[in-house]
Amino acid sequence: MNRPDDLNAAAPLEGGITRPDNGREHIRRPIDETFPRNYYDVPMLKPPVWTWEIASYFFLGGLSGGSFALARMADRFGGKTMADVRRIGTLVAFSAFLPCPALLIADLGDRKRFHYMLRVFKPKSPMNFGAWVLSLFGGVLTIAVLKEWLLGRARGKKGRIFSVLSFGTDLLSDFAGVPLGLLLAGYTGVLLSTTATPIWARNRWLGPLFSAGAISSGAAAIGLAEAAMSGKRRRSGRPLRRVEMASRVAEAAALGGFLLEAGRLAKPLTHGKYAAHLWVGAVGLGLALPTLLSALPGRFEKSHRWLKIGSAAASLAGVFALRWAITQAGTPSANDPQAARDVSRPAH
Amino acid sequence: MSDLIRDMFQLVRPEDIRVLQSDDETGAPKQKMGFFTDTTLCIGCKACEVACKQWNQLPSDGFNFTGHSYDNTQHLSESTWRHVAFVEQVDATRDRTGSRWLMMSDVCKHCEQAPCQEACPTGSIIYNEFGDVYVQPDICNGCGYCVVACPFGVLGRSEEDGHVHKCTLCYDRQRDGMTPACAKACPTDSIQFGPLDLLREKAQERVKTLQERGDTQAYLYGDEAIGDYSPLQAFFLLTDHPNTYNLPEAPKRPAKGMTARYLFSLATGAALTALAALFFADGERG
């Protein structure tokens, strides 16, 4: 706790007796020059009450939305040759989605009231909007997975009802599922930016950062699952790598934008406890390592299954590290009264 | 049709909630009530803190000594709805006449457009019929979003029941036509309660009087909009920079620019998805 500087500078009283006033003028010094403008450095804001579940949900929700969007694109535009991406992408999206509601409920103060989130439809609140997006996306995703399962079972000739249903579910997946998945991927960033916590407050880049991370983690997870299932060379390898590369570039750009816009307010992220998560985890593992590996001569990555798995795993770990560091850095940021004062300057 | 759906699922529109809470048949809010806290009258007795704790039956915050001043409460929280700040400015010059104590009884600002209300996903936080920001304890599910939305750091989540709590502006007392406990207990009228328009008039007069007496630093904080931030329904008369009292100089509304941020975020996702479509269509070529 800082005391006002002047306390230490005060002239000592002699024997506890007040000095007589020798006819000096009583001049009140201008307050703003004399005394520090702070309150014993007591935090001005409250830190988030969220624990590890929230960062994990941000990661898994994004992964789910991203891989589903990729699965649908592969189905629509890749045709039969990309059927693996559709199948595996849908399953990856579903597995990543499953723990999400549980993670969100676990973090509530009163878990039995979780369904109150859907008591109103209030798009003004990103938390409420996200709850609706998550619920609707879960419904569409479940239908898509059921279709995938039925498709796997119905070998040979397929009836007319099946093809009509299949057409319908694909339509639902494309026109409702993909937008919902993209919203699920990005709303979490908007949610953080719609707070008073200095490091996140009104930062335009958090949404794009989380969106790009969702696509890159989706592509990495699909690639990882493909490589883990078999070592055979797939035609989807190249487009997936290109998607990952493009979204990694977007992610790096958004991260740069975020750090630039936050400026000094990003200090709890770039220095201190979460610096390692950011620089080693997100930048090193997530962005640099996979980029370096993909720059190796083509035959390396194509022939080395474990290289592929390692690269995808590093990419996923990096996206998680970034979510984790940004979310957790909210606590030191809110506890820093100087940051709170800076973010509430009239010009900021 | 939309009414039917809403009735079926018992959905409540956020704008309805304000109306539902009104006793009045017309649904119009009654006269807006608020606090005017005049810090030049505060003597730091903490009667408001005690009265608030007693009336609202709030748990103890423990027995802590900060060592920096007489302020051992430090900040507002789920269990502290009034907090008296002690600013000790000791003049280091020989005559010490510049020394002064600034005391301020802090409280939830009951913002006219409250970020906590905007953030609340369950509709637990409402504006009641007195225009005050109220957390309905039977609705709150403790998501904690309002905690980070508040630019004043007012709300806290209780470890005991998992819900968020803050000043209710003594909603229960107001409904019975009584003055909130803190204002009732204040021995110097530093805390004044009443209809907002009247309070604002009174406050402006008070500033004028103080300035005429030579206290040229007196000004009102939050009686009108601060930049793009709404007026506060619990506003203050201060004599130093807001930061000195641990108040933000110009609080920001977190939801400002939210739509643009959504669009920017969606555009990034959509662009990458479109690129993916191109790559998949290309297959192994390109």
Side-chain angles (χ1 to χ4, degrees):
Chain A
M1 297 293 163
N2 290 353
R3 282 160 167 269
D5 299 336
D6 302 87
L7 211 58
N8 306 323
L13 293 178
E14 291 136 15
I17 303 158
T18 332
R19 217 178 281 103
D21 172 29
N22 298 329
R24 276 189 301 270
E25 253 187 292
H26 287 225
I27 302 165
R28 179 172 279 184
R29 296 198 291 173
I31 294 295
D32 46 358
E33 284 174 28
T34 317
F35 300 110
R37 281 180 179 179
N38 68 55
Y39 189 71
Y40 308 105
D41 272 333
V42 172
M44 186 192 285
L45 302 168
K46 291 276 181 294
V49 289
W50 303 324
T51 43
W52 62 272
E53 292 95 337
I54 293 301
S56 312
Y57 160 69
F58 285 178
F59 171 69
L60 289 175
L63 173 54
S64 180
S67 52
F68 188 68
L70 291 179
R72 292 317 305 157
M73 290 306 115
D75 187 38
R76 271 299 159 202
F77 300 97
K80 283 214 172 77
T81 52
M82 300 295 157
D84 278 356
V85 178
R86 188 209 69 228
R87 198 165 50 80
I88 295 173
T90 311
L91 289 176
V92 163
F94 191 66
S95 344
F97 180 86
L98 277 179
C100 289
L103 286 171
L104 282 182
I105 292 168
D107 199 60
L108 290 178
D110 193 343
R111 291 169 195 165
K112 66 183 182 298
R113 292 187 182 175
F114 73 94
H115 59 289
Y116 285 15
M117 287 286 185
L118 305 179
R119 182 179 161 270
V120 287
F121 178 63
K122 188 178 169 187
K124 191 173 253 180
S125 161
M127 180 88 76
N128 177 277
F129 186 65
W132 281 101
V133 167
L134 184 76
S135 309
L136 295 175
F137 179 70
V140 175
L141 189 55
T142 308
I143 291 172
V145 168
L146 279 178
K147 186 214 141 182
E148 210 54 59
W149 181 68
L150 286 175
L151 203 68
R153 286 176 62 99
R155 304 213 179 275
K157 201 164 172 278
K158 283 157 196 141
R160 172 166 284 178
I161 295 178
F162 187 90
S163 62
V164 168
L165 275 179
S166 162
F167 180 76
T169 52
D170 283 354
L171 221 59
L172 185 72
S173 293
D174 288 344
F175 290 98
V178 172
L180 283 170
L182 293 181
L183 273 176
L184 183 65
Y187 97 88
T188 50
V190 179
L191 181 144
L192 288 186
S193 72
T194 309
T195 63
T197 306
I199 191 171
W200 307 324
R202 307 210 275 192
N203 196 307
R204 279 166 299 180
W205 294 91
L206 274 174
L209 180 59
F210 282 22
S211 291
I215 305 279
S216 78
S217 63
I222 296 172
L224 182 71
E226 278 188 358
M229 280 159 68
S230 76
K232 77 168 194 255
R233 207 174 148 275
R234 291 172 200 260
R235 306 173 77 110
S236 56
R238 186 177 164 79
L240 274 178
R241 273 201 303 279
R242 291 172 80 190
V243 171
E244 226 188 301
M245 195 37 113
S247 43
R248 217 179 284 135
V249 169
E251 205 184 343
L255 179 61
F258 167 74
L259 291 176
L260 276 179
E261 189 173 322
R264 269 197 306 157
L265 301 174
K267 222 179 151 191
L269 185 63
T270 52
H271 298 73
K273 200 173 159 190
Y274 299 106
H277 296 83
L278 176 72
W279 300 120
V280 180
V283 177
L285 270 182
L287 298 172
L289 186 65
T291 310
L292 279 177
L293 287 180
S294 68
L296 288 176
R299 59 197 151 81
F300 267 99
E301 201 176 349
K302 276 174 199 156
S303 55
H304 289 70
R305 185 177 166 198
W306 288 107
L307 206 62
K308 215 168 165 182
I309 291 178
S311 167
S315 185
L316 285 172
V319 174
F320 177 72
L322 188 60
R323 296 282 196 285
W324 176 261
I326 288 181
T327 311
Q328 297 298 112
T331 300
S333 178
N335 282 333
D336 176 6
Q338 186 57 46
R341 288 190 288 268
D342 286 345
V343 83
S344 60
R345 296 265 172 261
H348 190 86
Chain B
M1 182 62 193
S2 66
D3 285 347
L4 183 76
I5 292 174
R6 212 166 41 242
D7 289 348
M8 256 169 65
F9 294 99
Q10 292 189 315
L11 290 181
V12 185
R13 281 182 311 200
E15 60 265 32
D16 287 342
I17 295 170
R18 200 190 285 246
V19 177
L20 282 179
Q21 290 300 312
S22 176
D23 292 340
D24 195 344
E25 267 182 34
T26 60
K30 288 182 185 170
Q31 199 164 27
K32 283 193 172 184
M33 305 297 270
F35 280 135
F36 164 45
T37 308
D38 182 348
T39 64
T40 58
L41 294 177
C42 183
I43 54 170
C45 69
K46 303 194 196 182
C48 50
E49 279 192 29
V50 176
C52 176
K53 285 249 180 201
Q54 286 198 333
W55 177 261
N56 295 299
Q57 303 188 325
L58 298 175
S60 147
D61 298 317
F63 195 58
N64 308 309
F65 283 111
T66 57
H68 58 57
S69 72
Y70 284 101
D71 176 10
N72 295 313
T73 313
Q74 299 206 69
H75 45 71
L76 296 167
S77 72
E78 66 278 9
S79 55
T80 303
W81 300 350
R82 269 282 179 189
H83 154 237
V84 181
F86 284 72
V87 179
E88 297 174 18
Q89 297 182 332
V90 182
D91 186 352
T93 55
R94 289 179 70 85
D95 55 23
R96 292 166 194 268
T97 50
S99 300
R100 58 178 189 169
W101 264 17
L102 306 175
M103 283 154 291
M104 178 202 126
S105 179
D106 197 10
V107 70
C108 167
K109 317 301 178 289
H110 292 276
C111 314
E112 251 179 42
Q113 187 174 19
C116 61
Q117 191 277 337
E118 291 184 306
C120 179
T122 61
S124 164
I125 303 184
I126 55 157
Y127 300 100
N128 64 20
E129 68 265 38
F130 305 106
D132 307 325
V133 182
Y134 178 64
V135 186
Q136 303 176 84
D138 54 337
I139 307 286
C140 174
N141 67 4
C143 74
Y145 197 29
C146 55
V147 173
V148 281
C150 176
F152 299 98
V154 168
L155 298 104
R157 189 169 84 179
S158 163
E159 295 285 323
E160 282 172 47
D161 63 2
H163 304 153
V164 158
H165 301 279
K166 73 166 193 72
C167 165
T168 66
L169 228 150
C170 278
Y171 188 21
D172 48 348
R173 289 176 65 96
Q174 279 202 64
R175 285 184 77 111
D176 288 343
M178 291 157 79
T179 305
C182 56
K184 189 78 183 171
C186 180
T188 62
D189 259 358
S190 169
I191 302 173
Q192 295 176 39
F193 164 78
L196 257 182
D197 34 0
L198 209 79
L199 277 185
R200 283 179 182 144
E201 235 170 74
K202 229 171 157 180
Q204 270 150 14
E205 257 167 52
R206 173 72 181 159
V207 171
K208 217 191 278 168
T209 312
L210 284 172
Q211 298 218 335
E212 278 166 13
R213 286 188 199 161
D215 202 345
T216 50
Q217 283 149 345
Y219 68 98
L220 294 180
Y221 176 84
D223 66 320
E224 44 193 48
I226 309 170
D228 57 25
Y229 201 84
S230 78
L232 314 177
Q233 298 181 106
F235 62 99
F236 301 84
L237 190 156
L238 305 177
T239 53
D240 202 335
H241 192 276
N243 286 170
T244 309
Y245 305 90
N246 222 6
L247 291 171
E249 190 178 351
K252 300 282 157 52
R253 187 176 151 242
K256 197 188 172 209
M258 188 181 73
T259 313
R261 295 199 292 274
Y262 264 122
L263 289 176
F264 194 21
S265 163
L266 256 184
T268 310
L272 287 172
T273 308
L275 262 182
L278 275 179
F279 294 153
F280 284 128
D282 261 5
E284 296 205 68
R285 286 174 292 126

